[in-house]
Amino acid sequence: MLDMLCFLILFPLIAALLMLILPNGNARDIIVKIAALITAAGSVYLFIETFGKGIRYVSIGNGTVDLIVFVAELVIALFIIAISLKFRKYIVTALGAIQLAFVLYLEYLMHSGVLPAAGELFADEFSMIMTLIIGLIGGIICVYSVGYMRGYHEMHKDVKDHRKLFFFLIFLFLSAMYGVVYSNNLVWLLMFWEITSLCSFLLIGYARDELSWNNAFRALMFNVLGGIAFSAAILYIVAVIGDFGYLFMDKLLASGSAVAIIPAALIGFAGLTKSAQYPFSSWLVGAMVAPTPVSALLHSSTMVKAGVYIIVRFAPIYEMTYTGMALSLVGGITFLIASAVAIGQSNAKKVLAYSTIANLGLVVACAGIGTEAAIWAAILLIIFHAVAKSLLFLSVGSVEHQKHSRDIEDMTGLISEMPKVSVMMLIGIAGMFLAPFGMLISKWAAIVAFIDAMKPFGAVYIMIIAFGSALTVFFWTKWMGKLIEVRHPKTPLAREATPQEMFSLYFLTTLTVLATIFFPLISYDLIIPYLESLGSAVPVLLSSGDIITMFIMTVTIVLLPLSMAYFSNGRTIKGQYMSGRPVDAELNFSGSLGRTMKTDISNYYIEEYFGEEKNCRYGIVISVLILAVLAAILVYTFTSGAVL
């Protein structure tokens, strides 16, 4: 157990260091694939080894590890200060200085013997779910990056080739994410947390131009702010609670709301920044300037998943508290408004960015409720969002290489030009909002949880989910329509993507379908045992009838496209008509007074209602007000000792 946990943290780190040494070329590309395969295989092996064994702990009572943690946090803080000074980002400099002061104070406490020099790793069912997400999806993104980054630099001759640093950061990201999900020691967890912030900063700024740097520093500013809140939680435990055993997550979670609510709220705030909830969402949208594998990594298997992971971990503390309600409201408002903003976007990566922010908002809303049913829905949302969204991001990256555009309007009739990639994109989109895929089931479970737990306020949450879900149907359906809209026959491309890209897309498509087929097993064998370990009875969320219905729907989803392919074989469209008038191959038709009219078909974006700037402003204002209320709740809790 110890060997495998340490292996999954250290092996990607070793691979990352190796990437800095190896020159660009076939040898490095092969080693990237091998390292990704070993990482994924290690994740699967650990999952098999720990399956059904519940939570397991591994103690590491070595002061050397604590010294390494201190040095890593010190280097991160000094780097943030130095680079922000270089680019005159003085707010980031100030935040970095605060983080540096915390690191030095913590080291003083350890050297004075106040804090124990010991750490602990742990793994349970939730950790194993995250392990598979990190290893399988993160590993496949590494494989995809090999072909993509070669093509990226062929398209962007003006961007200096930093692929050594790129692959170093990708594998370091995976190493840090394993550390986040295995660390029981909050100090260790904070160190891995900060590494993910630093990696995202450098990856977003990959192009090294002004736009990239500005977006990278915005991401760094918000995430360092969250890191300071995390640090404040640790300081509160040390200075106020005084029992240093609470620096271990399991003891803090077991202590109950009376002890843990303030540090849990501070860590929850850090989770909001990391998962790009309003008012911090702009950093994730800005991250779209990075190469597509970075976007996929941030949105699916790392970074934002770290944010929702930590909030879901502390969900039992938030249950039936105003603190949890405030966090839940921030998530709900984010889900509703980000879904609305996505309607007004024609840039495919922006649609994916805002839909990511929205779905993470729904995860936060569920975690803030904190009941077993709500946590069940939150974990399901994490799983299905990870596989479907990674598939969509990588598909868009491959389309962008061929079409030199990421605009949805330019994807008209893509099913004719890139049939394989288009079908996989359709599966990914279906996975985000259609039955029997798990996102829809998760939303249903969230509605049930809100009704049961939030009386009489449940109606507000139901309205948020209902309207937000309706908005998601709007923008996903628009996109699907453009993909299958065939105006006139087109010759399929001989090569839709590089072999590495196609392998990655096939793998993620298969994973999306398998996650749907084995959804009941995921629920019964992983999620429910985790919920039972929290100490409460778990309600029956799926009946046998529900499972049979899902199976029938899954078969129907598979048979429908196969039947269409069979019945359309050998048949051609004899002619096209526009309101009864014949249309030529370019959709020109004879209009009134003998004029030749050109048909132009495009989606509605309704920007006057779903414009980005206006709606984001609403989201920021509302969420800031909610967070102000949360701050007042925490002040009252601190001064009175009563949990609200």
Side-chain angles (χ1 to χ4, degrees):
M1 178 72 173
L2 172 61
D3 292 343
M4 281 308 303
L5 293 181
C6 292
F7 173 81
L8 286 174
I9 295 173
L10 295 177
F11 177 78
L13 176 60
I14 295 170
L17 296 173
L18 191 59
M19 296 301 119
L20 287 176
I21 302 172
L22 294 172
N24 294 333
N26 291 331
R28 198 271 316 279
D29 293 346
I30 292 172
I31 292 177
V32 168
K33 297 174 188 176
I34 293 173
L37 176 63
I38 294 174
T39 302
S43 298
V44 173
Y45 176 80
L46 180 62
F47 172 79
I48 295 172
E49 281 293 301
T50 58
F51 183 78
K53 297 180 180 178
I55 189 168
R56 305 181 71 183
Y57 297 93
V58 176
S59 296
I60 304 176
N62 190 338
T64 303
V65 179
D66 290 295
L67 178 61
I68 294 172
V69 170
F70 164 70
V71 172
E73 291 185 339
L74 185 64
V75 169
I76 292 171
L78 290 174
F79 177 82
I80 290 172
I81 293 172
I83 198 165
S84 59
L85 284 174
K86 177 181 177 181
F87 285 89
R88 299 181 180 180
K89 304 292 184 179
Y90 298 122
I91 295 178
V92 180
T93 304
L95 294 174
I98 295 172
Q99 192 69 9
L100 176 62
F102 164 76
V103 171
L104 294 175
Y105 177 68
L106 198 63
E107 180 63 13
Y108 162 75
L109 292 178
M110 287 188 175
H111 272 289
S112 62
V114 175
L115 295 182
E120 194 170 65
L121 303 177
F122 79 108
D124 60 6
E125 291 85 1
F126 191 18
S127 300
M128 290 304 100
I129 290 172
M130 295 299 298
T131 295
L132 291 180
I133 290 174
I134 297 164
L136 295 179
I137 298 178
I140 209 67
I141 291 172
C142 292
V143 174
Y144 177 93
S145 300
V146 170
Y148 179 91
M149 292 306 294
R150 189 184 303 117
Y152 175 88
H153 282 288
E154 291 173 359
M155 288 178 59
H156 301 84
K157 301 290 187 182
D158 56 324
V159 177
K160 187 176 180 180
D161 194 334
H162 298 290
R163 275 182 285 174
K164 286 185 179 181
L165 179 63
F166 176 87
F167 284 106
F168 164 77
L169 293 170
I170 290 289
F171 280 102
L172 179 60
F173 225 139
L174 298 183
S175 173
M177 276 302 299
Y178 284 123
V180 167
V181 300
Y182 298 149
S183 293
N184 193 26
N185 186 323
L186 290 179
V187 177
W188 291 13
L189 175 54
L190 176 61
M191 184 267 292
F192 290 116
W193 185 274
E194 296 296 345
I195 290 175
T196 64
S197 299
L198 186 60
C199 288
S200 66
F201 164 73
L202 294 172
L203 286 169
I204 295 169
Y206 181 82
R208 302 297 189 265
D209 56 15
E210 184 178 1
L211 179 62
S212 298
W213 279 126
N214 286 338
N215 284 297
F217 273 107
R218 184 187 298 117
L220 186 63
M221 178 179 66
F222 285 143
N223 283 290
V224 173
L225 180 63
I228 291 173
F230 203 128
S231 303
I234 295 175
L235 288 177
Y236 179 87
I237 294 171
V238 172
V240 178
I241 298 178
D243 186 341
F244 307 123
Y246 289 124
L247 290 175
F248 292 94
M249 186 185 296
D250 62 333
K251 185 172 181 179
L252 186 62
L253 291 174
S255 65
S257 295
V259 173
I261 192 64
I262 290 181
L266 292 170
I267 293 174
F269 177 86
L272 294 180
T273 63
K274 187 77 76 176
S275 58
Q277 301 297 283
Y278 283 119
F280 313 109
S281 60
S282 60
W283 80 258
L284 192 58
V285 179
M288 296 301 100
V289 301
T292 293
V294 175
S295 302
L297 198 70
L298 295 179
H299 287 248
S300 59
S301 62
T302 63
M303 196 60 174
V304 296
K305 289 298 184 292
V308 292
Y309 163 80
I310 200 66
I311 294 176
V312 174
R313 274 288 182 198
F314 280 92
I317 302 298
Y318 304 137
E319 183 180 2
M320 303 303 293
T321 65
Y322 284 108
T323 297
M325 186 182 295
L327 291 173
S328 182
L329 274 175
V330 170
I333 293 298
T334 299
F335 173 64
L336 179 63
I337 295 181
S339 297
V341 174
I343 289 178
Q345 308 301 313
S346 63
N347 184 315
K349 286 185 74 173
K350 271 202 168 184
V351 173
L352 294 177
Y354 278 110
S355 69
T356 293
I357 294 168
N359 283 287
L360 294 175
L362 191 53
V363 175
V364 172
C366 292
I369 297 300
T371 63
E372 287 75 15
I375 297 172
W376 185 83
I379 297 175
L380 276 182
L381 286 165
I382 290 174
I383 295 170
F384 287 104
H385 178 267
V387 291
K389 193 54 66 69
S390 58
L391 171 60
L392 286 171
F393 264 110
L394 298 188
S395 297
V396 169
S398 297
V399 171
E400 185 180 4
H401 271 179
Q402 297 294 341
K403 305 283 289 185
H404 303 288
S405 171
R406 60 178 69 155
D407 196 295
I408 291 174
E409 296 300 316
D410 294 330
M411 297 182 190
T412 301
L414 195 69
I415 194 73
S416 294
E417 291 181 279
M418 303 176 66
K420 296 176 183 177
V421 172
S422 296
V423 168
M424 289 186 278
M425 286 183 71
L426 289 169
I427 292 173
I429 293 173
M432 292 302 299
F433 80 110
L434 287 179
F437 295 97
M439 290 296 289
L440 185 67
I441 298 166
S442 303
K443 290 177 183 177
W444 162 78
I447 290 174
V448 173
F450 290 147
I451 291 174
D452 293 340
M454 297 302 294
K455 297 174 182 179
F457 303 106
V460 176
Y461 287 91
I462 301 307
M463 291 173 62
I464 288 174
I465 294 179
F467 282 102
S469 298
L471 295 173
T472 63
V473 172
F474 196 161
F475 64 75
W476 288 129
T477 304
K478 287 195 304 178
W479 194 345
M480 294 182 85
K482 299 304 289 185
L483 294 176
I484 62 177
E485 176 195 334
V486 180
R487 300 181 183 179
H488 48 80
K490 298 178 182 179
T491 303
L493 297 174
R495 179 179 174 179
E496 298 184 30
T498 65
Q500 295 92 344
E501 292 176 38
M502 291 304 296
F503 171 79
S504 302
L505 295 179
Y506 282 134
F507 180 87
L508 290 171
T509 302
T510 303
L511 204 59
T512 301
V513 175
L514 289 178
T516 302
I517 294 173
F518 293 106
F519 161 73
L521 295 180
I522 295 172
S523 174
Y524 289 133
D525 294 331
L526 288 175
I527 303 178
I528 290 180
Y530 169 68
L531 296 176
E532 290 174 343
S533 71
L534 300 179
S536 300
V538 180
V540 177
L541 298 168
L542 280 179
S543 66
S544 58
D546 294 330
I547 296 174
I548 293 172
T549 301
M550 288 169 53
F551 178 77
I552 294 173
M553 295 173 72
T554 304
V555 172
T556 305
I557 289 289
V558 173
L559 289 180
L560 183 60
L562 293 178
S563 63
M564 292 173 64
Y566 173 77
F567 288 112
S568 64
N569 187 31
R571 293 170 173 81
T572 59
I573 300 174
K574 299 299 183 182
Q576 300 182 70
Y577 290 87
M578 178 64 66
S579 299
R581 296 178 179 271
V583 179
D584 62 19
E586 298 301 323
L587 288 186
N588 298 314
F589 67 97
S590 178
S592 60
L593 302 178
R595 294 180 301 172
T596 299
M597 310 293 290
K598 180 175 177 59
T599 303
D600 187 20
I601 302 175
S602 64
N603 278 315
Y604 286 109
Y605 292 95
I606 324 177
E607 294 184 6
E608 62 270 28
Y609 297 107
F610 300 112
E612 182 177 12
E613 182 177 352
K614 180 173 66 175
N615 282 282
C616 285
R617 192 184 307 121
Y618 293 151
I620 291 171
V621 171
I622 295 172
S623 57
V624 166
L625 291 175
I626 296 171
L627 290 177
V629 172
L630 174 60
I633 292 171
L634 295 183
V635 170
Y636 175 82
T637 301
F638 178 75
T639 55
S640 68
V643 177
L644 289 178

